Amino acid sequence: MRRSIAIALTVTAALSTASALTVTPAAAAPVPPRTPLTDFNHDGYADLALGGPGTTVSGTLNAGAVSVVYGSKNGPDIAHAKVFTRSTAGVPGVRTSYEFFGERVSPGDLDGDGYTDLVVGPTNGGHPVVLWGSAQGLTGTGAVSLPGGSGLFSVGDFNGDGHRDLVTDDFPYDPDDDMGGMTILYGPFDRATGAVAKTDTIATSQTYGPHDFVVGDMTGDGADDIVTSLGFEETAYGSEFWKGGKDGVSHTSTTLTSSLAGAVADVDGDGYGDLVVHDIGANYEDIPYEKGTVRVLYGTASGPSSTRTKAITQETSGVPGIGEKGDQFGTDIAASDVNGDGYADIAVGVPGEAIGSVKNAGAVVLLKGGKAGLSGTGAQAFNQSTTGVPGASESGDMFGLQVLLTDVNGDGLADLTSAAPLEDGTYKDSGAAWVLRGTKSGLTVKNITSFGPAAVNIPEKGAQLGRDLGR
């Protein structure tokens, strides 16, 4: 409370100044954003979940599957990969042609037992399901269906209570207004029934949407926030920032630059989560033809900054390659600390990158964080023509269409998983994945693990392994 004090002339100036000051509490220090380890069997190593939505299951075309590859001290343990489909014992639902089960996967400990669970969604009518984690890893036993049916969802802790929640694009449809929105399912989830502590629906757009979710704590309050991508037909609207907090996700939003895909991570070490997105401009139809731009909106106590932003392209100093029409730099984005310096690094998928004369061969660029933020300094690039990377650059592979940074071998440094779902093996579009290890100097081609669907127990024909990598 401010107080007025009569000050005698004999009181020293220093004392009078101190007496007149208003004492205000120090601002709370920001809580650095944290992405829990994806660890289905709780052994301390990050595990991988690779969607194969094009998989033919027992003759059912495009029924879809997910392969789970467990981490170990030696990296991905592909020899013990487990596969889940609608036909797996305990998984609810009926195997259906063109359901594309595994088109989207998102991990998180939904029931609070210490084991990461996995939400697996189709894209053609069926309900997403939760596969529960255990000491033996994921299992179909006791799996439950969740509301919704489009497969768009993401896991986060939106009220900061320590329980993981789920945001979906399920929203009551009214043909009179075409209102789009999202539903927040607040955890903990009941393992037996999938019941949640609370449900909240939020309108996000007057004309359909959202088209994507980017989740993470950008305000430093310990609760995850949400960025939704919005648009109608070919027009991309500005994305919207929805603040999380102790009472849950706000029903009002702040408009940002238009974007699709992204990640939240502290790239400058100030304790706030920075929003790193694929800046797509104003037209969805232009995306396949763009050079590509990654935009950083630095975090603040009130959300992504509108003034402290940075655009990074392949023309940015230090970034490998040359920006060319159709490169699609930024199509997918992942974040974690690769070199252990305390700053988050960013993996950028460049699936349209031409390697020599080979079009749409694809590449991945690693941008490194630092005290000054994200930049091209020390950036690295990898493709299937990089010495030491297995495979060969072929037209239409789209290496880097999906990327993920996680510590698969438990050495404290994030490893890169890069997927090429359109890689041709024995069959067209069977897909493949590569895991490059993190080191103190960045990513290395030493001890790379690469595999196609057959190696992780998925029928190869048209599987599109790695269509989603789960985060």
Side-chain angles (χ1 to χ4, degrees):
M1 182 176 65
R2 185 178 299 274
R3 295 182 297 169
S4 297
I5 302 176
I7 304 173
L9 292 176
T10 54
V11 178
T12 65
L15 180 59
S16 66
T17 300
S19 301
L21 283 176
T22 299
V23 178
T24 57
V31 178
R34 175 178 175 271
T35 302
L37 183 70
T38 296
D39 191 357
F40 302 123
N41 55 5
H42 200 57
D43 65 354
Y45 300 100
D47 305 319
L48 303 175
L50 301 102
T55 302
T56 295
V57 180
S58 300
T60 305
L61 295 175
N62 302 129
V66 175
S67 182
V68 174
V69 179
Y70 295 97
S72 75
K73 66 178 181 180
N74 297 316
D77 182 10
I78 61 175
H80 296 95
K82 296 175 68 175
V83 173
F84 299 89
T85 72
R86 288 286 190 189
S87 295
T88 300
V91 174
V94 177
R95 186 178 74 244
T96 306
S97 294
Y98 305 103
E99 186 186 27
F100 303 108
F101 186 77
E103 178 73 21
R104 192 172 183 102
V105 292
S106 188
D109 180 11
L110 297 180
D111 61 347
D113 65 354
Y115 297 96
T116 304
D117 311 306
L118 185 68
V119 185
V120 182
T123 57
N124 198 8
H127 293 286
V129 302
V130 181
L131 306 174
W132 302 110
S134 71
Q136 291 73 45
L138 288 181
T139 175
T141 302
V144 297
S145 289
L146 296 176
S150 74
L152 184 59
F153 50 78
S154 192
V155 174
D157 180 8
F158 304 119
N159 56 7
D161 66 353
H163 296 295
R164 305 300 282 172
D165 313 312
L166 186 74
V167 56
T168 79
D169 66 347
D170 194 32
F171 190 76
Y173 176 67
D174 184 342
D176 293 329
D177 63 16
D178 290 329
M179 184 70 74
M182 58 185 173
T183 296
I184 316 292
L185 305 176
Y186 289 98
F189 287 61
D190 184 89
R191 191 180 181 100
T193 65
V196 298
K198 184 178 69 171
T199 299
D200 189 23
T201 58
I202 302 173
T204 61
S205 171
Q206 186 64 39
T207 49
Y208 309 111
H211 302 306
D212 196 18
F213 298 118
V214 178
V215 169
D217 181 9
M218 291 161 257
T219 64
D221 64 354
D224 286 333
D225 312 302
I226 301 172
V227 173
T228 56
S229 299
L230 301 169
F232 178 63
E233 295 180 342
E234 76 280 1
T235 303
Y237 301 152
S239 294
E240 298 289 333
F241 166 76
W242 307 84
K243 188 180 183 308
K246 62 182 180 62
D247 297 320
V249 177
S250 172
H251 283 228
T252 59
S253 63
T254 302
T255 302
L256 309 173
T257 186
S258 57
S259 63
L260 190 65
V264 176
D266 186 5
V267 299
D268 61 354
D270 67 353
Y272 292 104
D274 306 309
L275 178 65
V276 186
V277 294
H278 181 200
D279 188 333
I280 60 172
N283 195 312
Y284 286 120
E285 293 180 350
D286 291 340
I287 294 175
Y289 311 105
E290 64 171 4
K291 294 180 180 181
T293 299
V294 169
R295 184 170 298 277
V296 187
L297 292 83
Y298 288 94
T300 73
S302 57
S305 176
S306 61
T307 57
R308 189 183 173 215
T309 71
K310 183 173 185 177
I312 298 177
T313 70
Q314 286 185 285
E315 278 77 40
T316 299
S317 176
V319 177
I322 300 172
E324 298 172 312
K325 183 179 179 180
D327 280 352
Q328 301 176 60
F329 181 82
T331 293
D332 198 32
I333 292 170
S336 195
D337 186 0
V338 170
N339 55 13
D341 65 355
Y343 300 99
D345 307 307
I346 301 295
V348 180
V350 199
E353 180 89 333
I355 306 300
S357 62
V358 182
K359 296 181 178 180
N360 296 315
V364 177
V365 170
L366 181 72
L367 303 173
K368 296 178 180 178
K371 186 175 182 180
L374 199 65
S375 73
T377 302
Q380 299 175 277
F382 301 89
N383 58 68
Q384 288 189 75
S385 294
T386 301
T387 301
V389 176
S393 295
E394 297 172 318
S395 180
D397 280 351
M398 303 195 83
F399 179 89
L401 187 64
Q402 290 285 303
V403 293
L404 178 70
L405 289 175
T406 53
D407 184 10
V408 179
N409 61 357
D411 65 355
L413 306 174
D415 311 305
L416 168 70
T417 301
S418 174
L422 303 183
E423 172 88 1
D424 295 340
T426 305
Y427 298 94
K428 181 178 174 59
D429 297 344
S430 53
W434 294 254
V435 181
L436 284 68
R437 301 192 181 193
T439 73
K440 293 290 186 180
S441 58
L443 294 170
T444 179
V445 297
K446 294 181 179 179
N447 299 315
I448 289 178
T449 302
S450 64
F451 51 90
V456 291
N457 303 318
I458 283 184
E460 185 174 356
K461 189 174 182 178
Q464 296 191 33
L465 182 72
R467 175 58 72 175
D468 196 11
L469 296 177
R471 57 176 174 275

